[in-house]
Amino acid sequence: MTDRTMEELMELLDPYLDNFDQIGRSGVSTYRRYPPEFLIEHDARAQASCIYCHMNFEAERLLAGRKGIVPKDIRGLKIWLIGDHSVIRLKRMDEDGHTRNYPTKQARDYDHGVQFPELPPPAARLSVGYFLDPTQTQVIRVQIARPIGKRINWCAAIIPADKQVPGAKRWYDVTRQKGF
Amino acid sequence: MGQFNHHMLNLARDARGLTQLELATLLRVGQGTLSKYETGIGEPPDECFVSAISNVLGYQESFFFEPGRPYGFPPFHYRKRKKLSGKALGRIVAEMNIRRIHVQKMIVSYEMRPCTLIPEIDRSEYQGSTKRPLNIEDVARTIREMWMLPRGPIPSMVELIEFAGGIVVPCDFGTDHLDAMSQRIDGMPVLFFINKHVPADRLRHTLAHELGHMILHTIFPIDDDAMEDEADAFAGAFLVPADEVTPQLRRFDLRQLANLKSYWKVSMAALAVRADRLNLITPYQKKMFWMEMSRLGYRKREPNEPPPESPRLLKEMVRFHRDKLGYSRSEMAVLFGLMIAEFDQMYGAKDGEPERRGHLRLVK
């Protein structure tokens, strides 16, 4: 289990942030290009599945073959190993970084940090995902969350490339603050 | 020029949103003098006065000599009218009348060739011998069949109305309390005046609502609230037929409504009302939906607005006068009784477009 903080991990992931943002947004925008007569036949689960496929395809296009990035498929759980510090999976999320569906055993083990023989032990298990508006049609933000079991340790939103300020941080903390 | 028309003075003042006292002050005359001119009591004003009101109100002098009388509101829209101030009402009526006069002038030369017509239903005849009460769903279905509309969404409500011989006139009502008005006057195409600031999704429903009034209430006006309710039910049934939407509304949440909106091109609010009319949702679902819509601010403006529909026929009429009949911009402005700048603003002549000059002709 890694003991890196959000700041440290986000700094390590900095070269990939624009790619993550693009992956999340393009998954949704590709799905929204489906003819509306098909969209009305999809339920939320079908929508999430379609977007997930488009995100994975975009991830293959942007990340595969890049130095230090290794795609893995652990019994159906598709993940991307980034260096030796992080491992990410692509998800739909709520504003806190929780994933919304009923998790598979692999997904539960992933979130709980259970060791997989294919993964280096110190890599932080992260989720990269999109957070949609209430109509589920527009991306509000793409974010990176650090789940630990059912809890979200931290969650950071990526600032889209066209809204970034040169020299400034390309992400901001959106972790839900605990109540007093 | 003919006789001074006191109605036109009233109309021009209302269109500019001025009270009688304000205009009298601008003209440096007593309100009593202006009042008498407006009511038509006593001698008509002299040329100097007409020139002065033309300058102050920004209409051509000929505008005040147009014959005819203005038309008031049709018998429906009573509820909406109650929300409007007298000034706002006056402005809307004036705008409608002025735009009607423009259309009236253009159809003298422009021959309209509607592919079908906007029928008027006489309730007593429609019921016929069956004694079955008039059913709005049936009426909407009949109109769709009569106009040979295929299943599915109507691609463009504006185009459809123009196809049926109506004219859609975008107006600036100066208020968002009123989305549209319609008028059926003998010898004229059916006119639909739309507030150009209305979002595209609401506009489609509004146009279908007005169409409902024109079909159901021009022969046989009924109680105000009942007319509004029927027109609303007609709009829903016409845009979103029950047999098609019922299976689609089995899932009722914002996500599904947003997808249905992009398919049917009507607002999520209109779809929720439709679901309620078809008894597809419970009162609790309805209540929660409206609470959610208010919380998200979607009751004012919804996300995922469909592309705007813009009227074509009115532009084509103006183009016909300019290109085929050789009217210059200033001649068009005179025809409408407008100043050139206002004509350009209303009918979208391009800035910097050169004034059309008379062609040289070979004289033998």
Side-chain angles (χ1 to χ4, degrees):
Chain A
M1 180 73 68
T2 180
D3 54 358
R4 285 194 177 102
T5 63
M6 173 172 68
E7 281 74 15
E8 287 167 345
L9 275 171
M10 290 305 286
E11 201 177 322
L12 289 167
L13 291 171
D14 191 71
Y16 312 102
L17 291 185
D18 286 347
N19 292 143
F20 294 158
D21 189 65
Q22 195 181 333
I23 289 165
R25 286 175 194 278
S26 89
V28 177
S29 65
T30 306
Y31 178 73
R32 293 307 306 171
R33 287 202 296 273
Y34 286 18
E37 56 266 39
F38 297 141
L39 293 181
I40 57 180
E41 292 179 4
H42 285 188
D43 59 9
R45 197 171 56 172
Q47 173 177 337
S49 296
C50 291
I51 293 174
Y52 177 75
C53 291
H54 294 306
M55 280 168 71
N56 261 319
F57 191 84
E58 186 71 359
E60 289 278 350
R61 201 179 67 78
L62 291 174
L63 302 178
R66 279 177 67 172
K67 198 180 167 191
I69 297 186
V70 183
K72 298 233 177 230
D73 190 328
I74 303 174
R75 295 175 292 286
L77 179 70
K78 284 183 184 153
I79 50 176
W80 297 82
L81 187 61
I82 310 221
D84 61 352
H85 51 81
S86 311
V87 52
I88 62 159
R89 61 173 178 152
L90 305 172
K91 289 303 290 179
R92 178 170 74 127
M93 288 177 180
D94 68 7
E95 61 187 317
D96 296 334
H98 287 109
T99 55
R100 303 284 294 275
N101 57 350
Y102 187 78
T104 59
K105 184 178 179 304
Q106 268 74 29
R108 260 198 322 272
D109 290 349
Y110 180 89
D111 288 348
H112 279 91
V114 171
Q115 290 304 316
F116 294 110
E118 299 91 333
L119 295 181
R125 309 283 170 83
L126 304 174
S127 299
V128 171
Y130 56 92
F131 165 48
L132 296 176
D133 75 338
T135 63
Q136 306 288 296
T137 55
Q138 287 164 13
V139 177
I140 291 183
R141 62 186 183 233
V142 175
Q143 48 195 26
I144 301 177
R146 170 85 169 99
I148 296 180
K150 288 183 178 175
R151 196 168 56 81
I152 297 296
N153 196 22
W154 53 261
C155 184
I158 301 170
I159 299 170
D162 57 340
K163 290 186 181 145
Q164 288 169 8
V165 178
K169 262 196 324 190
R170 299 196 292 162
W171 58 275
Y172 57 98
D173 185 3
V174 289
T175 312
R176 184 171 292 276
Q177 300 302 302
K178 286 183 184 133
F180 290 108
Chain B
M1 250 182 265
Q3 213 178 8
F4 181 81
N5 185 344
H6 61 94
H7 293 303
M8 297 306 284
L9 172 56
N10 209 323
L11 216 58
R13 179 172 64 74
D14 279 345
R16 300 301 183 218
L18 293 171
T19 63
Q20 211 172 47
L21 180 62
E22 284 167 345
L23 181 58
T25 310
L26 288 171
L27 292 166
R28 293 182 189 155
V29 295
Q31 192 185 349
T33 310
L34 186 62
S35 171
K36 283 175 190 164
Y37 287 147
E38 280 195 12
T39 51
I41 293 172
E43 289 293 305
D46 59 19
E47 277 179 26
C48 284
F49 186 81
V50 175
S51 168
I53 51 174
S54 159
N55 284 332
V56 168
L57 293 173
Y59 288 101
Q60 301 271 353
E61 287 180 28
S62 58
F63 179 88
F64 300 95
F65 294 88
E66 285 293 336
R69 66 163 184 89
Y71 289 84
F73 273 94
F76 22 88
H77 308 299
Y78 180 74
R79 266 188 307 180
K80 284 176 190 162
R81 270 185 327 210
K82 276 199 293 191
K83 286 186 196 163
L84 294 165
S85 65
K87 204 170 175 177
L89 268 174
R91 187 176 165 185
I92 293 166
V93 171
E95 174 89 11
M96 273 170 49
N97 277 287
I98 290 168
R99 303 303 291 267
R100 174 184 53 78
I101 292 168
H102 296 173
V103 173
Q104 222 161 2
K105 297 237 167 181
M106 286 195 283
I107 57 171
V108 171
S109 308
Y110 183 86
E111 194 187 336
M112 287 189 59
R113 296 187 200 91
C115 301
T116 180
L117 57 91
I118 297 171
E120 294 172 88
I121 286 181
D122 186 332
R123 280 158 191 270
S124 49
E125 283 184 17
Y126 186 83
Q127 280 171 258
S129 57
T130 61
K131 299 288 179 201
R132 191 176 150 199
L134 183 118
N135 181 313
I136 301 298
E137 294 282 334
D138 286 349
V139 175
R141 195 175 51 245
T142 307
I143 301 294
R144 277 185 81 111
E145 283 167 5
M146 188 180 141
W147 289 353
M148 291 189 279
L149 298 179
R151 284 170 68 82
I154 292 167
S156 164
M157 241 347 257
V158 170
E159 255 178 48
L160 182 65
I161 281 174
E162 290 182 340
F163 165 85
I167 297 182
V168 180
V169 185
C171 299
D172 184 2
F173 288 156
T175 173
D176 57 359
H177 284 309
L178 194 73
D179 289 351
M181 297 287 285
S182 46
Q183 255 184 357
R184 195 192 277 273
I185 297 168
D186 284 345
M188 289 274 296
V190 182
L191 299 176
F192 296 82
F193 303 95
I194 54 168
N195 191 341
K196 60 184 175 188
H197 303 298
V198 169
D201 48 5
R202 218 164 72 201
L203 175 69
R204 284 169 61 83
H205 192 272
T206 300
L207 274 174
H209 176 104
E210 293 303 317
L211 181 65
H213 278 312
M214 290 295 100
I215 290 170
L216 294 161
H217 307 132
T218 44
I219 292 183
F220 204 93
I222 50 171
D223 173 66
D224 296 314
D225 284 343
M227 281 196 284
E228 284 304 306
D229 191 56
E230 280 189 357
D232 216 46
F234 174 87
F238 186 70
L239 289 169
V240 187
D243 60 331
E244 291 182 66
V245 80
T246 301
Q248 298 167 351
L249 276 169
R250 296 281 176 225
R251 262 195 314 269
F252 185 81
D253 53 29
L254 280 182
R255 194 194 69 83
Q256 179 68 353
L257 288 173
N259 285 335
L260 285 171
K261 176 179 177 170
S262 59
Y263 179 63
W264 290 105
K265 298 190 192 118
V266 295
S267 65
M268 294 191 290
L271 286 161
V273 171
R274 185 78 179 124
D276 183 38
R277 280 188 192 278
L278 294 171
N279 289 323
L280 299 172
I281 53 172
T282 63
Y284 179 75
Q285 279 180 299
K286 181 181 159 185
K287 183 180 154 192
M288 295 312 289
F289 169 78
W290 289 114
M291 280 170 65
E292 187 72 349
M293 291 287 278
S294 298
R295 190 181 67 79
L296 296 166
Y298 290 172
R299 289 187 83 155
K300 283 241 174 219
R301 200 152 200 127
E302 291 184 5
N304 306 317
E305 206 176 304
E309 295 182 12
S310 56
R312 184 194 53 85
L313 195 53
L314 199 65
K315 279 184 194 161
E316 200 177 293
M317 289 164 109
V318 174
R319 205 177 305 125
F320 174 81
H321 276 74
R322 301 230 27 220
D323 297 347
K324 290 270 163 55
L325 305 182
Y327 278 72
S328 64
R329 267 163 67 221
S330 55
E331 283 167 337
M332 286 300 287
V334 171
L335 180 72
F336 292 164
L338 300 172
M339 297 301 178
I340 292 185
E342 192 171 8
F343 166 77
D344 287 349
Q345 195 194 345
M346 266 187 188
Y347 294 100
K350 285 173 198 151
D351 287 336
E353 193 180 343
E355 176 74 1
R356 186 185 296 271
R357 293 183 181 200
H359 296 290
L360 287 176
R361 281 183 303 159
L362 186 65
V363 181
K364 288 181 183 172

